[in-house]
Coordinates of all heavy atoms in Angstrom, one line a residue:
D28 N 448.1 173.3 46.4 CA 448.9 173.0 45.3 C 448.0 172.5 44.1 O 448.5 172.1 43.1 CB 449.9 171.9 45.6 CG 449.4 170.5 45.8 OD1 448.2 170.4 46.0 OD2 450.1 169.6 45.6
G29 N 446.7 172.6 44.3 CA 445.7 172.2 43.2 C 445.6 170.7 43.1 O 444.9 170.2 42.2
A30 N 446.2 169.9 44.0 CA 446.2 168.5 43.9 C 445.9 167.9 45.3 O 446.4 166.8 45.6 CB 447.4 167.9 43.3
S31 N 445.2 168.6 46.1 CA 444.8 168.1 47.4 C 446.0 167.7 48.3 O 446.0 166.6 48.9 CB 443.8 166.9 47.3 OG 442.6 167.3 46.7
F32 N 447.0 168.5 48.3 CA 448.3 168.3 49.0 C 449.0 167.0 48.6 O 449.6 166.3 49.4 CB 448.0 168.3 50.6 CG 447.6 169.6 51.1 CD1 446.2 169.8 51.3 CD2 448.5 170.6 51.3 CE1 445.8 171.1 51.8 CE2 448.1 171.9 51.7 CZ 446.7 172.1 52.0
S33 N 448.9 166.7 47.3 CA 449.6 165.5 46.8 C 450.8 165.8 45.9 O 451.6 165.0 45.6 CB 448.6 164.7 46.0 OG 447.6 164.2 46.8
G34 N 450.8 167.1 45.4 CA 451.8 167.5 44.4 C 453.2 167.4 44.9 O 453.5 167.7 46.1
D35 N 454.1 167.1 44.0 CA 455.6 167.1 44.3 C 456.3 167.1 43.0 O 457.0 166.2 42.6 CB 456.0 165.9 45.2 CG 457.4 166.1 45.7 OD1 458.0 167.2 45.6 OD2 458.0 165.1 46.1
T36 N 456.1 168.2 42.2 CA 456.7 168.3 40.9 C 456.8 169.7 40.4 O 456.3 170.6 41.1 CB 455.8 167.5 39.9 OG1 456.5 167.3 38.7 CG2 454.4 168.2 39.7
V37 N 457.5 169.9 39.3 CA 457.6 171.2 38.6 C 457.1 171.0 37.2 O 457.5 170.2 36.5 CB 459.0 171.7 38.6 CG1 459.1 173.0 37.9 CG2 459.6 171.8 40.0
I38 N 456.1 171.9 36.8 CA 455.5 171.9 35.5 C 455.6 173.3 34.9 O 455.1 174.2 35.5 CB 454.1 171.4 35.5 CG1 454.0 170.0 36.1 CG2 453.5 171.4 34.1 CD1 452.6 169.5 36.3
D39 N 456.3 173.4 33.8 CA 456.5 174.7 33.1 C 456.9 175.8 34.1 O 456.4 176.9 34.1 CB 455.1 175.1 32.5 CG 454.8 174.2 31.3 OD1 455.7 173.6 30.7 OD2 453.6 174.1 31.0
G40 N 457.8 175.5 35.0 CA 458.3 176.4 35.9 C 457.5 176.7 37.2 O 457.9 177.4 38.1
L41 N 456.3 176.0 37.3 CA 455.5 176.1 38.4 C 455.8 175.0 39.4 O 455.8 173.8 38.9 CB 454.0 176.1 38.0 CG 453.5 177.3 37.2 CD1 452.1 177.0 36.7 CD2 453.7 178.6 37.9
H42 N 456.0 175.3 40.6 CA 456.3 174.3 41.6 C 455.0 173.9 42.4 O 454.4 174.7 43.0 CB 457.3 174.8 42.6 CG 458.6 175.1 42.0 ND1 459.7 174.3 42.2 CD2 459.0 176.1 41.2 CE1 460.7 174.8 41.5 NE2 460.4 175.9 40.9
F43 N 454.7 172.6 42.3 CA 453.6 172.0 43.1 C 454.1 171.2 44.2 O 454.7 170.1 44.0 CB 452.7 171.2 42.1 CG 452.1 172.0 41.0 CD1 452.8 172.2 39.8 CD2 450.9 172.6 41.2 CE1 452.2 172.9 38.8 CE2 450.3 173.4 40.2 CZ 451.0 173.5 39.0
R44 N 454.1 171.7 45.4 CA 454.7 171.1 46.6 C 453.8 170.8 47.7 O 454.1 170.9 48.9 CB 455.9 171.9 47.1 CG 457.0 172.2 46.0 CD 457.7 170.9 45.8 NE 458.9 171.2 44.9 CZ 459.2 170.4 43.9 NH1 458.5 169.4 43.5 NH2 460.3 170.8 43.2
G45 N 452.5 170.5 47.4 CA 451.5 170.2 48.5 C 451.9 169.1 49.4 O 451.7 169.2 50.6
S46 N 452.6 168.1 48.8 CA 453.0 166.9 49.6 C 454.0 167.4 50.7 O 454.0 167.0 51.9 CB 453.6 165.8 48.7 OG 453.9 164.7 49.5
A47 N 455.0 168.2 50.2 CA 456.0 168.7 51.2 C 455.4 169.6 52.2 O 455.8 169.6 53.4 CB 457.1 169.4 50.4
I48 N 454.4 170.4 51.8 CA 453.7 171.3 52.7 C 453.0 170.5 53.8 O 453.1 170.8 55.0 CB 452.8 172.3 52.0 CG1 453.6 173.2 51.1 CG2 451.9 173.0 53.0 CD1 452.7 174.0 50.1
R49 N 452.3 169.5 53.4 CA 451.6 168.6 54.3 C 452.5 168.0 55.3 O 452.3 168.0 56.5 CB 450.8 167.5 53.6 CG 449.9 166.7 54.5 CD 449.4 165.4 53.8 NE 450.4 164.4 53.6 CZ 450.9 164.1 52.4 NH1 450.4 164.6 51.3 NH2 451.9 163.2 52.3
R50 N 453.6 167.4 54.8 CA 454.6 166.8 55.7 C 455.2 167.8 56.7 O 455.4 167.5 57.9 CB 455.7 166.1 54.9 CG 455.3 164.9 54.2 CD 456.4 164.1 53.6 NE 457.3 164.9 52.8 CZ 457.2 165.1 51.5 NH1 456.2 164.5 50.8 NH2 458.1 165.8 50.8
A51 N 455.5 169.0 56.2 CA 456.1 170.1 57.1 C 455.1 170.5 58.1 O 455.5 170.8 59.2 CB 456.6 171.2 56.2
L52 N 453.9 170.7 57.7 CA 452.8 171.1 58.6 C 452.7 170.1 59.8 O 452.7 170.5 61.0 CB 451.5 171.2 57.9 CG 450.3 171.6 58.7 CD1 450.3 173.1 59.1 CD2 449.0 171.3 58.0
I53 N 452.6 168.8 59.5 CA 452.5 167.8 60.5 C 453.8 167.8 61.4 O 453.7 167.7 62.6 CB 452.2 166.4 59.9 CG1 450.9 166.5 59.2 CG2 452.2 165.4 61.0 CD1 449.7 166.8 60.0
A54 N 454.9 167.9 60.8 CA 456.2 167.8 61.5 C 456.2 169.0 62.5 O 456.7 168.9 63.7 CB 457.4 167.9 60.6
D55 N 455.8 170.2 62.0 CA 455.8 171.4 62.9 C 454.8 171.2 64.0 O 455.1 171.6 65.2 CB 455.5 172.7 62.1 CG 455.6 173.9 62.9 OD1 456.7 174.2 63.4 OD2 454.5 174.6 63.1
L56 N 453.7 170.7 63.7 CA 452.6 170.5 64.7 C 453.1 169.5 65.8 O 453.0 169.8 67.0 CB 451.4 169.9 64.1 CG 450.1 169.8 64.9 CD1 449.7 171.2 65.4 CD2 449.0 169.2 64.1
V57 N 453.8 168.4 65.4 CA 454.4 167.5 66.4 C 455.5 168.1 67.2 O 455.5 167.9 68.4 CB 454.9 166.2 65.6 CG1 455.7 165.3 66.6 CG2 453.7 165.4 65.1
A58 N 456.3 168.9 66.6 CA 457.5 169.6 67.3 C 457.0 170.7 68.2 O 457.7 170.9 69.2 CB 458.5 170.1 66.2
S59 N 456.0 171.4 67.9 CA 455.6 172.6 68.6 C 454.4 172.4 69.6 O 454.1 173.4 70.3 CB 455.4 173.8 67.7 OG 454.2 173.5 66.9
T60 N 453.8 171.3 69.6 CA 452.7 171.0 70.5 C 452.8 169.7 71.2 O 453.7 168.9 70.9 CB 451.3 171.1 69.7 OG1 451.2 169.9 68.9 CG2 451.2 172.4 68.9
D61 N 451.8 169.4 72.0 CA 451.8 168.1 72.7 C 450.7 167.2 72.0 O 450.1 166.3 72.6 CB 451.4 168.2 74.2 CG 452.5 168.9 75.0 OD1 453.7 168.6 74.6 OD2 452.2 169.6 76.0
I62 N 450.6 167.4 70.7 CA 449.5 166.6 70.0 C 449.7 165.1 70.1 O 448.7 164.4 70.1 CB 449.4 167.1 68.5 CG1 448.1 166.6 67.9 CG2 450.7 166.6 67.7 CD1 447.7 167.3 66.6
R63 N 450.9 164.6 70.2 CA 451.1 163.2 70.3 C 450.4 162.6 71.5 O 450.2 161.4 71.5 CB 452.6 162.9 70.2 CG 453.2 163.2 68.9 CD 454.6 162.6 68.7 NE 454.5 161.2 68.7 CZ 455.2 160.4 69.6 NH1 456.0 160.9 70.5 NH2 455.0 159.1 69.6
T64 N 450.1 163.4 72.5 CA 449.5 162.8 73.7 C 447.9 163.0 73.7 O 447.3 162.6 74.6 CB 450.0 163.6 75.0 OG1 449.7 165.0 74.9 CG2 451.5 163.4 75.1
S65 N 447.4 163.5 72.6 CA 446.0 163.6 72.4 C 445.2 162.3 72.5 O 445.7 161.3 72.0 CB 445.6 164.4 71.1 OG 446.2 165.6 71.1
E66 N 444.0 162.4 73.0 CA 443.2 161.2 73.0 C 442.6 161.0 71.6 O 442.4 159.9 71.1 CB 442.0 161.3 74.0 CG 442.6 161.2 75.4 CD 441.4 161.3 76.4 OE1 440.3 160.9 76.1 OE2 441.7 161.7 77.6
Q67 N 442.2 162.1 71.0 CA 441.6 162.1 69.6 C 442.1 163.3 68.8 O 442.1 164.4 69.4 CB 440.1 162.1 69.6 CG 439.5 160.8 70.0 CD 438.0 160.8 69.8 OE1 437.3 161.9 69.9 NE2 437.4 159.7 69.6
V68 N 442.4 163.1 67.6 CA 442.7 164.2 66.6 C 441.7 163.9 65.5 O 441.7 162.8 64.9 CB 444.2 164.1 66.1 CG1 444.4 165.2 65.1 CG2 445.1 164.3 67.3
V69 N 441.0 165.0 65.1 CA 440.0 164.9 64.0 C 440.5 165.7 62.9 O 440.8 166.9 63.0 CB 438.6 165.3 64.5 CG1 437.6 165.3 63.3 CG2 438.1 164.5 65.7
I70 N 440.6 165.1 61.7 CA 441.0 165.8 60.5 C 439.8 165.9 59.7 O 439.1 164.9 59.3 CB 442.1 165.0 59.7 CG1 443.3 164.7 60.6 CG2 442.5 165.7 58.5 CD1 444.1 165.8 61.2
S71 N 439.4 167.2 59.3 CA 438.2 167.4 58.6 C 438.4 168.3 57.4 O 439.3 169.1 57.4 CB 437.1 168.0 59.6 OG 435.9 168.2 58.9
G72 N 437.5 168.2 56.5 CA 437.5 169.1 55.3 C 436.2 169.0 54.6 O 435.5 168.0 54.7
G73 N 435.8 170.1 53.9 CA 434.6 170.0 53.1 C 434.9 170.2 51.6 O 435.9 170.8 51.2
S74 N 434.1 169.5 50.8 CA 434.2 169.6 49.3 C 435.6 169.1 48.9 O 436.0 167.9 49.2 CB 433.9 171.0 48.8 OG 433.8 170.9 47.4
A75 N 436.4 169.9 48.3 CA 437.8 169.5 47.9 C 438.6 169.1 49.1 O 439.5 168.2 49.0 CB 438.5 170.5 47.0
G76 N 438.4 169.8 50.2 CA 439.1 169.5 51.4 C 438.8 168.1 52.0 O 439.6 167.4 52.6
A77 N 437.5 167.7 51.7 CA 437.1 166.4 52.1 C 437.9 165.3 51.3 O 438.2 164.3 51.8 CB 435.6 166.2 52.0
S78 N 438.1 165.6 50.0 CA 438.9 164.7 49.2 C 440.3 164.5 49.8 O 440.8 163.4 49.8 CB 438.9 165.2 47.8 OG 437.7 165.2 47.2
A79 N 440.8 165.6 50.2 CA 442.2 165.6 50.8 C 442.2 164.7 52.1 O 443.1 164.0 52.4 CB 442.7 167.0 51.1
V80 N 441.1 164.8 52.9 CA 441.0 163.9 54.1 C 441.0 162.4 53.6 O 441.7 161.6 54.2 CB 439.7 164.2 54.9 CG1 439.5 163.2 56.0 CG2 439.8 165.6 55.4
Y81 N 440.1 162.1 52.6 CA 440.1 160.7 52.1 C 441.5 160.3 51.7 O 441.9 159.2 51.9 CB 439.2 160.6 50.9 CG 437.7 160.6 51.2 CD1 436.9 161.6 50.8 CD2 437.1 159.6 52.0 CE1 435.5 161.6 51.1 CE2 435.8 159.6 52.3 CZ 435.0 160.6 51.8 OH 433.6 160.6 52.1
Y82 N 442.2 161.1 50.9 CA 443.5 160.8 50.3 C 444.6 160.6 51.4 O 445.5 159.8 51.2 CB 444.0 161.8 49.4 CG 443.1 162.1 48.2 CD1 443.1 163.4 47.6 CD2 442.3 161.1 47.7 CE1 442.3 163.6 46.5 CE2 441.4 161.4 46.6 CZ 441.4 162.7 46.0 OH 440.6 162.9 44.9
H83 N 444.6 161.4 52.5 CA 445.7 161.5 53.3 C 445.6 161.1 54.8 O 446.5 161.2 55.6 CB 446.3 162.9 53.3 CG 446.6 163.4 51.9 ND1 447.6 162.8 51.2 CD2 446.1 164.4 51.2 CE1 447.7 163.4 50.0 NE2 446.8 164.3 50.0
I84 N 444.4 160.7 55.2 CA 444.2 160.5 56.6 C 445.1 159.4 57.2 O 445.6 159.5 58.3 CB 442.7 160.1 56.9 CG1 442.4 160.1 58.5 CG2 442.3 158.8 56.3 CD1 442.6 161.4 59.1
D85 N 445.4 158.3 56.4 CA 446.3 157.3 56.9 C 447.7 157.8 57.1 O 448.3 157.5 58.1 CB 446.2 156.1 56.0 CG 444.9 155.3 56.0 OD1 444.2 155.4 57.1 OD2 444.6 154.7 55.0
R86 N 448.2 158.6 56.1 CA 449.5 159.1 56.2 C 449.6 160.1 57.4 O 450.6 160.1 58.1 CB 449.9 159.8 54.9 CG 451.3 160.4 54.9 CD 452.4 159.5 55.2 NE 452.4 158.3 54.3 CZ 453.2 158.2 53.3 NH1 454.1 159.1 53.0 NH2 453.1 157.1 52.6
V87 N 448.6 161.0 57.6 CA 448.6 161.9 58.7 C 448.7 161.2 60.0 O 449.4 161.5 60.9 CB 447.4 162.9 58.6 CG1 447.3 163.7 59.9 CG2 447.5 163.8 57.4
A88 N 447.9 160.1 60.1 CA 447.9 159.3 61.4 C 449.3 158.7 61.6 O 449.8 158.7 62.7 CB 446.8 158.2 61.3
E89 N 449.9 158.2 60.5 CA 451.3 157.7 60.7 C 452.3 158.8 61.1 O 453.1 158.6 62.0 CB 451.8 157.1 59.4 CG 451.1 155.8 59.0 CD 451.6 155.3 57.6 OE1 452.6 155.8 57.1 OE2 450.9 154.5 57.0
D90 N 452.2 159.9 60.5 CA 453.1 161.0 60.8 C 452.9 161.6 62.2 O 453.8 162.0 62.8 CB 453.0 162.1 59.7 CG 453.4 161.7 58.4 OD1 454.1 160.7 58.3 OD2 453.1 162.4 57.4
L91 N 451.6 161.6 62.6 CA 451.4 162.1 64.0 C 451.9 161.1 65.0 O 452.3 161.6 66.1 CB 449.9 162.4 64.2 CG 449.3 163.6 63.5 CD1 447.8 163.7 63.7 CD2 450.0 164.9 64.1
D92 N 451.8 159.9 64.8 CA 452.3 158.8 65.6 C 451.9 159.1 67.1 O 452.7 159.2 68.0 CB 453.9 158.8 65.5 CG 454.4 157.5 66.2 OD1 453.8 156.5 66.3 OD2 455.6 157.6 66.6
L93 N 450.6 159.1 67.3 CA 450.1 159.4 68.7 C 450.5 158.3 69.6 O 450.6 157.1 69.2 CB 448.5 159.4 68.6 CG 447.9 160.5 67.8 CD1 446.4 160.5 67.9 CD2 448.5 161.9 68.1
E94 N 450.7 158.7 70.9 CA 451.2 157.7 71.9 C 450.1 156.6 72.1 O 450.4 155.5 72.3 CB 451.5 158.4 73.2 CG 452.8 159.3 73.0 CD 453.1 160.1 74.3 OE1 452.4 159.9 75.3 OE2 454.0 160.9 74.2
S95 N 448.8 157.0 72.3 CA 447.8 156.0 72.5 C 446.4 156.4 72.0 O 445.5 155.7 72.1 CB 447.7 155.7 74.0 OG 447.3 156.9 74.7
G96 N 446.3 157.6 71.4 CA 445.0 158.1 70.9 C 444.8 157.6 69.5 O 445.5 156.8 69.0
Q97 N 443.7 158.2 69.0 CA 443.3 157.8 67.6 C 443.1 159.1 66.7 O 442.8 160.1 67.2 CB 442.0 157.0 67.6 CG 440.9 157.6 68.3 CD 439.6 156.7 68.4 OE1 438.7 157.2 68.9 NE2 439.6 155.5 67.9
V98 N 443.4 158.9 65.5 CA 443.2 159.9 64.5 C 442.0 159.6 63.7 O 441.9 158.5 63.1 CB 444.5 160.1 63.6 CG1 444.2 161.2 62.5 CG2 445.7 160.4 64.4
L99 N 441.1 160.5 63.6 CA 439.8 160.2 62.9 C 439.7 161.2 61.7 O 440.1 162.3 61.8 CB 438.6 160.5 63.8 CG 438.6 159.7 65.1 CD1 437.5 160.2 66.1 CD2 438.5 158.2 64.9
G100 N 439.1 160.7 60.6 CA 438.8 161.5 59.5 C 437.4 161.9 59.4 O 436.5 161.0 59.7
L101 N 437.0 163.1 59.2 CA 435.7 163.6 59.1 C 435.4 164.4 57.8 O 435.3 165.6 57.8 CB 435.3 164.4 60.3 CG 433.9 164.9 60.5 CD1 432.9 163.7 60.6 CD2 433.7 165.8 61.7
P102 N 435.4 163.7 56.7 CA 435.2 164.4 55.4 C 433.7 164.7 55.2 O 432.9 164.0 55.6 CB 435.6 163.3 54.4 CG 435.5 162.0 55.0 CD 435.7 162.2 56.5
D103 N 433.5 166.0 54.8 CA 432.1 166.4 54.5 C 432.0 166.6 53.0 O 432.5 167.6 52.4 CB 431.9 167.7 55.2 CG 430.5 168.3 55.0 OD1 429.7 167.5 54.4 OD2 430.2 169.4 55.4
A104 N 431.4 165.6 52.3 CA 431.3 165.5 50.9 C 432.6 165.1 50.3 O 433.2 164.1 50.8 CB 430.8 166.8 50.3
G105 N 433.1 165.7 49.2 CA 434.3 165.3 48.6 C 434.2 164.3 47.5 O 435.2 163.8 47.0
F106 N 433.0 164.0 47.1 CA 432.7 163.1 46.0 C 432.4 164.0 44.8 O 431.5 164.8 44.8 CB 431.6 162.2 46.3 CG 431.9 161.1 47.3 CD1 431.4 161.2 48.5 CD2 432.7 160.0 46.9 CE1 431.7 160.2 49.5 CE2 433.0 159.1 47.8 CZ 432.5 159.1 49.1
F107 N 433.1 163.8 43.7 CA 432.9 164.5 42.5 C 432.6 163.5 41.4 O 433.5 162.9 40.8 CB 434.1 165.3 42.1 CG 434.4 166.3 43.2 CD1 435.4 166.0 44.1 CD2 433.7 167.5 43.2 CE1 435.7 167.0 45.1 CE2 434.0 168.4 44.2 CZ 435.0 168.2 45.2
L108 N 431.3 163.2 41.2 CA 430.9 162.1 40.4 C 430.9 162.5 38.9 O 430.4 163.6 38.5 CB 429.4 161.7 40.7 CG 429.3 161.2 42.2 CD1 427.8 160.9 42.4 CD2 430.1 160.0 42.4
D109 N 431.5 161.7 38.1 CA 431.6 162.0 36.7 C 430.4 161.3 36.0 O 430.5 160.3 35.3 CB 432.9 161.4 36.1 CG 433.1 161.8 34.7 OD1 432.4 162.7 34.2 OD2 434.1 161.3 34.1
L110 N 429.2 162.0 36.2 CA 427.9 161.5 35.7 C 427.2 162.6 35.0 O 427.4 163.8 35.4 CB 427.1 160.9 36.8 CG 427.7 159.7 37.6 CD1 426.8 159.3 38.8 CD2 427.8 158.5 36.7
K111 N 426.2 162.2 34.2 CA 425.4 163.3 33.6 C 424.4 163.7 34.6 O 423.9 163.0 35.4 CB 424.7 162.7 32.3 CG 425.7 162.3 31.2 CD 425.0 161.8 30.0 CE 425.9 161.4 29.0 NZ 426.5 161.5 28.1
D112 N 424.0 165.0 34.5 CA 423.0 165.5 35.4 C 421.6 165.1 34.9 O 421.4 164.4 34.0 CB 423.1 167.1 35.5 CG 422.7 167.8 34.3 OD1 422.2 167.2 33.3 OD2 423.0 169.0 34.3
K113 N 420.5 165.6 35.6 CA 419.2 165.2 35.3 C 418.7 165.5 33.9 O 417.8 164.9 33.3 CB 418.2 165.8 36.3 CG 418.1 167.3 36.2 CD 417.1 167.9 37.2 CE 417.0 169.4 37.1 NZ 416.7 169.9 35.8
D114 N 419.4 166.5 33.2 CA 419.1 166.9 31.9 C 420.0 166.2 30.9 O 419.9 166.5 29.7 CB 419.2 168.4 31.7 CG 418.3 169.2 32.6 OD1 417.1 168.7 32.7 OD2 418.7 170.2 33.2
G115 N 420.8 165.2 31.3 CA 421.7 164.5 30.4 C 423.0 165.2 30.1 O 423.7 164.8 29.2
V116 N 423.3 166.3 30.8 CA 424.5 167.1 30.5 C 425.6 166.5 31.3 O 425.5 166.3 32.5 CB 424.2 168.6 30.8 CG1 425.5 169.4 30.7 CG2 423.1 169.2 30.0
D117 N 426.7 166.3 30.6 CA 427.9 165.8 31.3 C 428.7 167.0 31.8 O 429.6 167.6 31.2 CB 428.8 165.0 30.3 CG 429.8 164.2 30.9 OD1 429.9 164.1 32.2 OD2 430.7 163.6 30.2
C118 N 428.2 167.5 33.0 CA 428.6 168.8 33.5 C 430.0 168.8 34.1 O 430.7 169.9 34.1 CB 427.6 169.4 34.5 SG 427.4 168.3 35.9
W119 N 430.5 167.7 34.6 CA 431.8 167.8 35.3 C 433.0 168.2 34.4 O 433.7 169.1 34.7 CB 432.1 166.4 36.0 CG 433.4 166.4 36.7 CD1 434.5 165.6 36.4 CD2 433.8 167.1 37.8 NE1 435.5 165.8 37.3 CE2 435.1 166.7 38.2 CE3 433.2 168.1 38.7 CZ2 435.8 167.3 39.3 CZ3 433.9 168.6 39.7 CH2 435.2 168.2 40.0
P120 N 433.1 167.6 33.2 CA 434.2 168.0 32.3 C 434.0 169.5 31.9 O 435.0 170.2 31.8 CB 434.1 167.1 31.1 CG 433.4 165.9 31.6 CD 432.5 166.4 32.7
A121 N 432.8 169.9 31.7 CA 432.6 171.3 31.3 C 433.0 172.3 32.4 O 433.5 173.3 32.2 CB 431.1 171.5 31.0
Q122 N 432.8 171.9 33.7 CA 433.2 172.7 34.8 C 434.7 172.8 34.9 O 435.2 173.8 35.5 CB 432.6 172.2 36.1 CG 431.1 172.3 36.2 CD 430.5 171.7 37.4 OE1 431.2 171.3 38.3 NE2 429.2 171.7 37.5
M123 N 435.4 171.8 34.5 CA 436.9 171.8 34.6 C 437.6 172.5 33.5 O 438.8 172.6 33.5 CB 437.3 170.3 34.7 CG 436.9 169.6 36.0 SD 437.5 170.3 37.5 CE 436.1 171.2 38.1
K124 N 436.9 173.0 32.5 CA 437.5 173.7 31.4 C 437.9 175.1 31.8 O 437.3 175.7 32.6 CB 436.6 173.7 30.2 CG 436.5 172.4 29.6 CD 435.6 172.4 28.3 CE 435.5 171.1 27.7 NZ 434.7 171.0 26.6

């Protein structure tokens, strides 16, 4: 949804429903597998996916409601620093245009 599975809105006719997709995905996983009996569930992502891990790992753990196991987050990167580069260029805003 362009917002790391956080969206739940309509803008100019475009529907951003990442939050609903995340909830439905976890609900389907719980309903169709024995994941609740797992000893460990690892949620991972890289770059923007890592940001989604940071944002949602606690909610995913709550939604999975494991019987006795643990849900672990394994983000790989996911930090987007709003700093100037070595040449003094503020590159992040320029990249987002």
